[in-house]
Coordinates of all heavy atoms in Angstrom, one line a residue:
P1 N 88.4 115.0 70.9 CA 88.3 116.4 71.1 C 88.9 116.8 72.4 O 88.8 116.1 73.4 CB 86.8 116.7 71.2 CG 86.1 115.4 70.7 CD 87.1 114.3 70.8
A2 N 89.6 118.0 72.4 CA 90.2 118.5 73.6 C 89.3 119.7 74.0 O 88.4 120.1 73.3 CB 91.6 118.9 73.3
G3 N 89.8 120.4 75.1 CA 89.1 121.5 75.5 C 88.4 121.3 76.9 O 88.6 120.2 77.5
P4 N 87.6 122.2 77.3 CA 87.1 122.1 78.7 C 86.1 121.0 78.9 O 85.8 120.6 80.0 CB 86.4 123.5 78.9 CG 86.1 124.0 77.5 CD 87.2 123.4 76.7
H5 N 85.5 120.4 77.8 CA 84.5 119.3 77.9 C 85.0 118.0 77.5 O 84.2 117.1 77.1 CB 83.3 119.7 77.1 CG 82.7 121.1 77.5 ND1 82.1 121.3 78.7 CD2 82.8 122.3 76.9 CE1 81.8 122.6 78.8 NE2 82.2 123.2 77.7
W6 N 86.3 117.8 77.5 CA 86.9 116.5 77.0 C 86.5 115.3 77.7 O 86.4 114.2 77.2 CB 88.5 116.6 77.1 CG 89.0 116.7 78.4 CD1 89.3 117.8 79.1 CD2 89.3 115.6 79.3 NE1 89.8 117.5 80.4 CE2 89.8 116.2 80.5 CE3 89.3 114.2 79.2 CZ2 90.2 115.4 81.6 CZ3 89.7 113.4 80.2 CH2 90.2 114.0 81.4
Q7 N 86.1 115.4 79.0 CA 85.8 114.3 79.8 C 84.5 113.5 79.3 O 84.4 112.3 79.5 CB 85.6 114.6 81.3 CG 86.9 115.0 81.9 CD 86.8 115.5 83.3 OE1 85.7 116.1 83.7 NE2 87.8 115.4 84.1
K8 N 83.6 114.2 78.7 CA 82.4 113.5 78.2 C 82.7 112.6 77.0 O 81.9 111.8 76.6 CB 81.3 114.5 77.9 CG 81.5 115.4 76.7 CD 80.3 116.4 76.6 CE 80.5 117.4 75.5 NZ 79.4 118.3 75.4
F9 N 83.9 112.7 76.4 CA 84.3 111.9 75.3 C 85.2 110.7 75.7 O 85.7 109.9 74.9 CB 85.1 112.7 74.3 CG 84.2 113.8 73.7 CD1 84.3 115.1 74.1 CD2 83.3 113.5 72.6 CE1 83.5 116.1 73.6 CE2 82.5 114.5 72.1 CZ 82.6 115.8 72.5
V10 N 85.4 110.5 77.0 CA 86.2 109.4 77.5 C 85.5 108.1 77.2 O 84.3 108.0 77.5 CB 86.5 109.6 79.0 CG1 87.2 108.3 79.5 CG2 87.4 110.8 79.2
R11 N 86.2 107.1 76.6 CA 85.5 105.8 76.3 C 85.8 104.8 77.4 O 86.8 104.0 77.3 CB 86.1 105.3 75.0 CG 85.7 106.2 73.8 CD 84.4 105.9 73.2 NE 84.1 104.5 73.1 CZ 84.3 103.7 72.0 NH1 84.9 104.3 70.9 NH2 84.0 102.5 72.0
R12 N 85.1 104.8 78.4 CA 85.3 103.8 79.5 C 84.9 102.4 79.1 O 85.2 101.5 79.9 CB 84.5 104.3 80.8 CG 85.0 105.6 81.3 CD 85.1 105.6 82.8 NE 85.4 107.0 83.3 CZ 86.6 107.4 83.5 NH1 87.6 106.6 83.4 NH2 86.8 108.6 84.0
D13 N 84.2 102.2 78.0 CA 83.9 100.9 77.5 C 85.1 100.2 76.9 O 85.2 99.0 76.6 CB 82.8 100.9 76.5 CG 83.0 101.8 75.3 OD1 83.6 102.9 75.5 OD2 82.7 101.3 74.2
V14 N 86.2 101.0 76.7 CA 87.4 100.5 76.0 C 88.6 100.5 77.0 O 89.3 99.6 77.1 CB 87.8 101.4 74.8 CG1 89.1 100.9 74.2 CG2 86.6 101.3 73.8
V15 N 88.8 101.7 77.7 CA 89.9 101.8 78.6 C 89.4 102.2 80.0 O 88.5 103.1 80.2 CB 90.8 103.0 78.1 CG1 91.9 103.3 79.2 CG2 91.5 102.6 76.8
R16 N 89.9 101.5 81.0 CA 89.5 101.7 82.4 C 90.2 102.9 83.0 O 89.7 103.7 83.7 CB 89.7 100.5 83.2 CG 89.2 100.5 84.6 CD 89.1 99.2 85.3 NE 88.0 98.4 84.8 CZ 88.2 97.2 84.3 NH1 89.3 96.6 84.3 NH2 87.2 96.5 83.8
R17 N 91.6 102.9 82.8 CA 92.4 104.0 83.4 C 93.8 104.0 82.8 O 94.2 103.0 82.2 CB 92.4 103.8 84.9 CG 93.2 102.6 85.4 CD 93.0 102.4 86.9 NE 93.7 101.2 87.3 CZ 94.8 101.1 88.1 NH1 95.3 102.2 88.6 NH2 95.3 99.9 88.4
L18 N 94.5 105.1 83.1 CA 95.8 105.3 82.7 C 96.7 104.6 83.8 O 96.6 104.9 85.0 CB 96.2 106.8 82.6 CG 97.6 107.1 82.4 CD1 98.1 106.7 81.0 CD2 97.8 108.6 82.6
L19 N 97.6 103.7 83.4 CA 98.5 103.1 84.3 C 99.9 103.7 84.4 O 100.4 103.8 85.5 CB 98.7 101.6 83.9 CG 97.4 100.7 84.0 CD1 97.7 99.3 83.5 CD2 96.9 100.7 85.4
A20 N 100.4 104.2 83.2 CA 101.7 104.7 83.2 C 102.0 105.5 82.0 O 101.4 105.3 81.0 CB 102.8 103.6 83.4
A21 N 103.0 106.5 82.1 CA 103.5 107.2 81.0 C 105.0 106.9 80.9 O 105.6 106.8 82.0 CB 103.3 108.7 81.1
E22 N 105.5 106.8 79.7 CA 106.9 106.5 79.6 C 107.6 107.7 78.9 O 107.1 108.1 77.8 CB 107.1 105.2 78.7 CG 108.5 104.9 78.4 CD 108.6 103.6 77.5 OE1 108.6 102.5 78.1 OE2 108.7 103.8 76.3
I23 N 108.7 108.2 79.5 CA 109.4 109.3 78.9 C 110.8 108.8 78.6 O 111.5 108.3 79.5 CB 109.4 110.5 79.9 CG1 108.0 111.0 80.1 CG2 110.3 111.6 79.3 CD1 107.9 112.1 81.2
S24 N 111.3 109.0 77.4 CA 112.6 108.6 77.1 C 113.5 109.9 77.1 O 113.0 111.0 76.9 CB 112.7 108.0 75.7 OG 112.4 108.9 74.7
C25 N 114.8 109.7 77.5 CA 115.7 110.8 77.6 C 117.1 110.3 77.7 O 117.3 109.1 78.0 CB 115.4 111.7 78.8 SG 115.4 110.8 80.4
P26 N 118.1 111.2 77.4 CA 119.5 110.7 77.5 C 119.9 110.2 78.9 O 120.8 109.4 79.0 CB 120.3 111.9 77.0 CG 119.3 112.7 76.2 CD 118.0 112.5 76.9
D27 N 119.4 110.8 79.9 CA 119.8 110.5 81.3 C 118.6 110.2 82.2 O 118.1 111.1 82.9 CB 120.7 111.6 81.9 CG 121.3 111.2 83.2 OD1 121.0 110.2 83.8 OD2 122.2 112.0 83.7
P28 N 118.0 109.0 82.0 CA 116.8 108.7 82.8 C 116.9 108.8 84.3 O 116.0 109.2 85.0 CB 116.4 107.3 82.3 CG 117.5 106.7 81.6 CD 118.4 107.9 81.2
E29 N 118.1 108.4 84.8 CA 118.3 108.5 86.3 C 118.2 109.9 86.8 O 117.6 110.2 87.8 CB 119.6 107.8 86.6 CG 119.7 106.4 86.4 CD 120.0 106.0 84.9 OE1 120.5 106.9 84.1 OE2 119.8 104.9 84.5
A30 N 118.8 110.8 86.1 CA 118.8 112.3 86.5 C 117.4 112.8 86.3 O 116.9 113.6 87.2 CB 119.8 113.1 85.6
L31 N 116.7 112.5 85.3 CA 115.4 113.0 85.1 C 114.4 112.5 86.1 O 113.6 113.2 86.7 CB 114.8 112.8 83.7 CG 113.5 113.5 83.3 CD1 113.6 115.0 83.5 CD2 113.1 113.1 81.9
S32 N 114.6 111.2 86.4 CA 113.7 110.6 87.5 C 114.0 111.2 88.8 O 113.1 111.5 89.6 CB 114.1 109.1 87.6 OG 113.3 108.5 88.6
A33 N 115.3 111.5 89.1 CA 115.6 112.2 90.4 C 115.0 113.6 90.4 O 114.5 114.0 91.5 CB 117.1 112.3 90.5
R34 N 115.0 114.3 89.3 CA 114.4 115.6 89.3 C 112.9 115.6 89.5 O 112.3 116.4 90.3 CB 114.7 116.3 87.9 CG 114.1 117.7 87.8 CD 114.7 118.7 88.7 NE 114.2 120.0 88.5 CZ 113.8 120.8 89.4 NH1 113.9 120.5 90.7 NH2 113.2 122.0 89.2
W35 N 112.2 114.6 88.9 CA 110.7 114.5 89.1 C 110.5 114.1 90.5 O 109.5 114.5 91.1 CB 110.2 113.4 88.1 CG 109.9 114.0 86.7 CD1 110.8 114.4 85.8 CD2 108.6 114.3 86.2 NE1 110.1 114.8 84.7 CE2 108.8 114.8 84.9 CE3 107.3 114.2 86.7 CZ2 107.7 115.2 84.1 CZ3 106.3 114.6 85.9 CH2 106.5 115.1 84.6
H36 N 111.3 113.2 91.1 CA 111.2 112.9 92.5 C 111.2 114.1 93.4 O 110.4 114.3 94.3 CB 112.2 111.9 92.9 CG 112.2 111.4 94.3 ND1 112.2 110.1 94.6 CD2 112.1 112.0 95.5 CE1 112.1 109.9 96.0 NE2 112.0 111.1 96.5
E37 N 112.2 115.0 93.1 CA 112.3 116.2 93.8 C 111.1 117.1 93.7 O 110.6 117.7 94.7 CB 113.6 117.0 93.3 CG 113.9 118.3 94.0 CD 115.1 118.9 93.4 OE1 116.0 118.2 92.9 OE2 115.1 120.2 93.3
I38 N 110.6 117.2 92.5 CA 109.4 118.1 92.3 C 108.2 117.5 92.9 O 107.4 118.2 93.6 CB 109.2 118.3 90.8 CG1 110.3 119.1 90.1 CG2 107.8 118.9 90.5 CD1 110.3 119.1 88.6
L39 N 108.0 116.2 92.8 CA 106.7 115.5 93.3 C 106.8 115.2 94.8 O 105.8 114.8 95.4 CB 106.5 114.3 92.5 CG 106.2 114.5 91.0 CD1 106.1 113.1 90.3 CD2 104.9 115.2 90.8
Q40 N 108.0 115.2 95.3 CA 108.3 114.8 96.7 C 107.9 113.3 96.9 O 107.5 112.9 98.0 CB 107.5 115.7 97.7 CG 107.9 117.1 97.6 CD 109.3 117.3 98.1 OE1 109.7 116.9 99.2 NE2 110.2 117.8 97.3
R41 N 108.1 112.5 95.9 CA 108.0 111.1 96.0 C 108.4 110.5 94.6 O 108.5 111.2 93.6 CB 106.5 110.7 96.3 CG 105.5 111.0 95.2 CD 104.2 110.4 95.5 NE 103.2 111.4 95.4 CZ 101.9 111.1 95.6 NH1 101.6 109.9 95.9 NH2 101.0 112.0 95.4
P42 N 108.7 109.2 94.6 CA 109.1 108.6 93.4 C 108.1 108.7 92.3 O 106.9 108.5 92.6 CB 109.4 107.1 93.7 CG 109.6 107.2 95.2 CD 108.8 108.3 95.7
A43 N 108.5 109.0 91.1 CA 107.5 109.1 90.0 C 106.8 107.8 89.6 O 105.8 107.8 89.0 CB 108.2 109.7 88.7
D44 N 107.4 106.7 90.0 CA 106.8 105.4 89.7 C 105.9 104.9 90.8 O 105.4 103.8 90.8 CB 107.9 104.3 89.4 CG 108.8 104.1 90.6 OD1 108.8 104.8 91.6 OD2 109.6 103.1 90.5
E45 N 105.6 105.8 91.8 CA 104.7 105.5 92.9 C 103.6 106.6 93.1 O 103.4 107.1 94.2 CB 105.4 105.3 94.2 CG 106.4 104.1 94.1 CD 107.2 104.0 95.4 OE1 106.9 104.7 96.4 OE2 108.2 103.3 95.4
L46 N 103.0 107.0 92.0 CA 102.0 108.0 92.1 C 100.6 107.5 92.5 O 100.4 106.2 92.5 CB 101.8 108.7 90.7 CG 103.1 109.4 90.2 CD1 102.9 110.0 88.8 CD2 103.6 110.4 91.2
D47 N 99.7 108.3 92.9 CA 98.4 107.9 93.4 C 97.6 107.0 92.4 O 97.0 106.0 92.7 CB 97.5 109.0 93.8 CG 98.1 109.8 95.0 OD1 98.9 109.2 95.8 OD2 97.7 110.9 95.2
S48 N 97.7 107.4 91.1 CA 96.9 106.7 90.1 C 97.7 106.4 88.9 O 97.3 106.8 87.8 CB 95.6 107.4 89.8 OG 95.9 108.7 89.3
G49 N 98.9 105.8 89.0 CA 99.7 105.6 87.8 C 101.2 105.8 88.2 O 101.5 105.9 89.3
A50 N 101.9 105.9 87.1 CA 103.4 106.0 87.3 C 104.0 106.7 86.0 O 103.4 106.7 85.0 CB 104.0 104.7 87.4
I51 N 105.1 107.3 86.3 CA 105.9 107.9 85.2 C 107.2 107.0 85.1 O 107.9 106.9 86.2 CB 106.2 109.3 85.4 CG1 104.9 110.1 85.5 CG2 107.1 109.9 84.2 CD1 105.2 111.6 86.0
R52 N 107.5 106.5 84.0 CA 108.7 105.7 83.8 C 109.7 106.4 82.9 O 109.3 106.9 81.9 CB 108.4 104.3 83.3 CG 107.4 103.5 84.2 CD 107.2 102.1 83.6 NE 106.2 101.5 84.4 CZ 105.2 100.8 83.9 NH1 105.0 100.7 82.6 NH2 104.3 100.3 84.7
F53 N 110.9 106.3 83.3 CA 112.0 107.0 82.5 C 112.9 106.0 81.8 O 113.4 105.1 82.5 CB 112.8 108.0 83.4 CG 111.9 109.0 84.0 CD1 111.4 108.8 85.3 CD2 111.5 110.1 83.3 CE1 110.5 109.7 85.9 CE2 110.7 111.1 83.9 CZ 110.2 110.9 85.2
V54 N 113.1 106.0 80.5 CA 113.9 105.1 79.8 C 114.9 105.9 79.0 O 114.8 107.0 78.7 CB 113.1 104.2 78.9 CG1 112.1 103.3 79.7 CG2 112.3 105.0 77.9
R55 N 116.0 105.2 78.6 CA 117.1 105.8 77.9 C 116.7 106.0 76.4 O 116.1 105.1 75.8 CB 118.4 105.0 78.0 CG 119.6 105.7 77.3 CD 120.9 105.0 77.8 NE 121.0 104.9 79.2 CZ 121.4 105.9 80.0 NH1 121.5 107.1 79.6 NH2 121.5 105.7 81.3
G56 N 116.9 107.2 75.9 CA 116.7 107.5 74.5 C 117.5 108.7 74.1 O 118.1 109.4 74.9
E57 N 117.6 108.9 72.8 CA 118.5 109.9 72.3 C 117.9 111.3 72.6 O 118.7 112.2 72.8 CB 118.7 109.8 70.8 CG 119.5 108.6 70.4 CD 119.7 108.5 68.9 OE1 119.6 109.5 68.2 OE2 120.0 107.4 68.4
E58 N 116.6 111.4 72.6 CA 116.0 112.7 72.8 C 115.0 112.6 73.9 O 114.5 111.5 74.2 CB 115.3 113.2 71.6 CG 116.2 113.5 70.4 CD 115.4 113.9 69.2 OE1 114.3 114.4 69.3 OE2 116.0 113.8 68.1
S59 N 114.6 113.7 74.6 CA 113.6 113.7 75.6 C 112.2 113.8 74.9 O 111.9 114.7 74.1 CB 113.7 114.9 76.5 OG 115.0 114.7 77.2
A60 N 111.4 112.7 75.2 CA 110.1 112.7 74.5 C 109.2 111.7 75.2 O 109.6 110.8 75.9 CB 110.2 112.3 73.1
L61 N 107.9 112.0 75.1 CA 106.9 111.0 75.6 C 106.9 109.9 74.6 O 106.6 110.1 73.4 CB 105.5 111.7 75.7 CG 104.3 110.7 76.0 CD1 104.5 110.2 77.5 CD2 103.0 111.4 75.9
T62 N 107.2 108.7 75.0 CA 107.3 107.6 74.0 C 106.3 106.4 74.3 O 106.2 105.6 73.5 CB 108.7 107.0 74.1 OG1 109.1 106.6 75.4 CG2 109.7 108.0 73.5
G63 N 105.6 106.4 75.4 CA 104.7 105.4 75.7 C 103.6 105.7 76.7 O 103.8 106.6 77.6
I64 N 102.5 105.1 76.5 CA 101.3 105.2 77.4 C 100.8 103.8 77.7 O 100.7 103.0 76.8 CB 100.2 106.1 76.8 CG1 100.6 107.5 76.6 CG2 99.0 106.0 77.7 CD1 100.9 108.3 77.8
V65 N 100.6 103.5 79.0 CA 100.1 102.2 79.3 C 98.7 102.4 79.9 O 98.5 103.1 80.8 CB 101.0 101.4 80.4 CG1 100.4 100.1 80.7 CG2 102.4 101.3 79.9
L66 N 97.7 101.7 79.2 CA 96.3 101.8 79.6 C 95.8 100.5 80.1 O 96.1 99.4 79.5 CB 95.5 102.3 78.4 CG 96.0 103.7 77.8 CD1 95.4 103.9 76.4 CD2 95.6 104.8 78.7
E67 N 94.9 100.5 81.1 CA 94.2 99.3 81.5 C 92.9 99.2 80.7 O 92.1 100.1 80.7 CB 93.8 99.4 83.0 CG 93.2 98.2 83.5 CD 92.8 98.2 85.0 OE1 92.9 99.3 85.5 OE2 92.5 97.2 85.5
T68 N 92.8 98.1 79.9 CA 91.7 97.9 79.0 C 90.6 97.2 79.8 O 90.8 96.4 80.7 CB 92.1 97.1 77.8 OG1 90.9 96.9 77.0 CG2 92.7 95.7 78.1
T69 N 89.4 97.5 79.3 CA 88.2 96.8 79.9 C 88.0 95.4 79.2 O 87.3 94.6 79.7 CB 86.9 97.6 79.8 OG1 86.7 97.9 78.4 CG2 87.1 98.9 80.6
D70 N 88.6 95.3 78.0 CA 88.4 94.1 77.2 C 89.7 93.2 77.4 O 90.7 93.5 76.7 CB 88.1 94.5 75.8 CG 87.9 93.3 74.9 OD1 88.1 92.1 75.3 OD2 87.6 93.5 73.7
R71 N 89.6 92.2 78.2 CA 90.8 91.4 78.4 C 91.4 90.7 77.1 O 92.6 90.4 77.1 CB 90.5 90.3 79.4 CG 90.0 90.8 80.8 CD 90.9 91.9 81.4 NE 92.3 91.5 81.6 CZ 93.3 92.4 81.7 NH1 93.1 93.6 81.7 NH2 94.5 91.9 81.8
T72 N 90.6 90.6 76.1 CA 91.1 90.0 74.8 C 92.0 91.0 74.1 O 92.8 90.6 73.3 CB 90.0 89.6 73.9 OG1 89.2 90.8 73.5 CG2 89.0 88.6 74.5
R73 N 91.9 92.3 74.5 CA 92.8 93.3 73.9 C 94.1 93.5 74.7 O 95.0 94.1 74.2 CB 92.1 94.6 73.8 CG 91.0 94.6 72.8 CD 90.4 96.0 72.7 NE 89.3 96.0 71.8 CZ 88.8 97.1 71.3 NH1 89.2 98.3 71.7 NH2 87.8 97.0 70.4
A74 N 94.2 92.9 75.9 CA 95.4 93.1 76.7 C 96.6 92.5 76.0 O 96.5 91.4 75.4 CB 95.2 92.4 78.0
G75 N 97.7 93.2 76.1 CA 98.9 92.8 75.4 C 99.1 93.4 74.0 O 100.2 93.2 73.4
T76 N 98.1 94.1 73.5 CA 98.2 94.7 72.2 C 98.8 96.1 72.4 O 98.7 96.7 73.4 CB 96.9 94.7 71.4 OG1 96.0 95.5 72.2 CG2 96.4 93.3 71.2
S77 N 99.3 96.6 71.3 CA 99.8 98.0 71.3 C 99.6 98.6 69.9 O 99.5 97.9 68.9 CB 101.2 98.1 71.8 OG 102.1 97.4 70.9
V78 N 99.7 99.9 69.9 CA 99.6 100.7 68.6 C 100.4 101.9 68.8 O 100.5 102.5 69.8 CB 98.1 101.0 68.3 CG1 97.5 101.9 69.3 CG2 98.0 101.6 66.9
D79 N 101.1 102.3 67.7 CA 101.9 103.5 67.6 C 101.1 104.6 67.0 O 100.5 104.5 65.9 CB 103.2 103.3 66.8 CG 104.2 102.4 67.5 OD1 104.2 102.3 68.7 OD2 104.9 101.8 66.8
V80 N 101.0 105.8 67.7 CA 100.4 107.0 67.2 C 101.3 108.1 67.3 O 101.7 108.5 68.4 CB 99.1 107.2 68.0 CG1 98.4 108.5 67.5 CG2 98.1 106.1 67.9
C81 N 101.8 108.7 66.2 CA 102.7 109.8 66.2 C 103.9 109.6 67.1 O 104.3 110.5 67.8 CB 101.9 111.1 66.6 SG 100.6 111.5 65.4
G82 N 104.5 108.5 67.0 CA 105.7 108.2 67.8 C 105.5 107.8 69.2 O 106.5 107.6 70.0
V83 N 104.3 107.7 69.7 CA 104.0 107.2 71.0 C 103.3 105.9 70.9 O 102.3 105.7 70.2 CB 103.0 108.2 71.7 CG1 102.7 107.7 73.1 CG2 103.6 109.6 71.8
R84 N 103.8 104.9 71.7 CA 103.3 103.6 71.7 C 102.3 103.5 72.8 O 102.6 103.7 74.0 CB 104.4 102.5 71.9 CG 103.8 101.1 71.9 CD 104.8 100.1 71.6 NE 104.8 100.1 70.1 CZ 105.2 99.0 69.4 NH1 105.6 97.9 70.0 NH2 105.3 99.1 68.1
F85 N 101.0 103.1 72.5 CA 100.0 102.9 73.4 C 99.9 101.4 73.7 O 99.6 100.6 72.7 CB 98.6 103.5 72.9 CG 98.6 105.0 72.9 CD1 99.2 105.7 71.8 CD2 98.0 105.7 73.9 CE1 99.2 107.0 71.8 CE2 98.0 107.0 73.9 CZ 98.6 107.7 72.9
H86 N 100.1 101.0 74.9 CA 100.0 99.6 75.3 C 98.7 99.3 76.1 O 98.4 100.1 77.0 CB 101.2 99.2 76.3 CG 102.5 99.6 75.8 ND1 103.3 98.7 75.0 CD2 103.3 100.7 75.9 CE1 104.4 99.3 74.7 NE2 104.5 100.5 75.2
L87 N 98.0 98.3 75.8 CA 96.8 97.9 76.5 C 97.2 96.7 77.4 O 97.8 95.7 77.0 CB 95.7 97.5 75.6 CG 95.2 98.6 74.7 CD1 94.1 98.1 73.8 CD2 94.6 99.7 75.5
R88 N 96.8 96.8 78.7 CA 97.1 95.8 79.7 C 95.8 95.5 80.4 O 94.9 96.2 80.6 CB 98.1 96.2 80.7 CG 99.4 96.5 80.0 CD 100.6 95.9 80.8 NE 101.8 96.0 80.0 CZ 102.8 96.7 80.3 NH1 102.9 97.4 81.4 NH2 103.9 96.7 79.5

């Protein structure tokens, strides 16, 4: 569920935290530079995670990296609506 009360639905027994988001685009170097300009620091050095830019035909969110609480699930991934969720 989304909305103003989404935080009570967070499953901390499965995922500890968000580690990174991956955005694909035709020119990842230019997009990374733009985010650096906006954030005033590299997008791969944020306080609690990173934004990674990779080459792709279109600009889209293509990946999410999550820190799992269950080490036996680390290394697995699942695709949901074109976004790959990786557990580490």
Side-chain angles (χ1 to χ4, degrees):
H5 306 290
W6 65 269
Q7 291 176 332
K8 67 182 176 182
F9 296 98
V10 173
R11 295 277 315 270
R12 298 222 187 265
D13 61 316
V14 177
V15 173
R16 185 168 290 128
R17 64 188 178 116
L18 173 69
L19 296 175
E22 179 182 275
I23 298 174
S24 67
C25 59
D27 189 349
E29 293 81 15
L31 189 57
S32 178
R34 178 68 177 134
W35 278 74
H36 181 128
E37 180 182 325
I38 292 167
L39 298 172
Q40 296 297 301
R41 65 172 132 177
D44 61 352
E45 297 176 11
L46 302 177
D47 293 339
S48 60
I51 303 171
R52 298 185 187 132
F53 301 94
V54 298
R55 188 163 307 282
E57 291 182 23
E58 298 179 20
S59 295
L61 175 67
T62 53
I64 298 289
V65 181
L66 302 165
E67 182 180 12
T68 179
T69 58
D70 180 354
R71 300 311 304 159
T72 64
R73 292 183 180 194
T76 63
S77 61
V78 61
D79 290 333
V80 178
C81 297
V83 178
R84 177 158 281 204
F85 289 81
H86 305 273
L87 295 178
R88 297 221 169 120

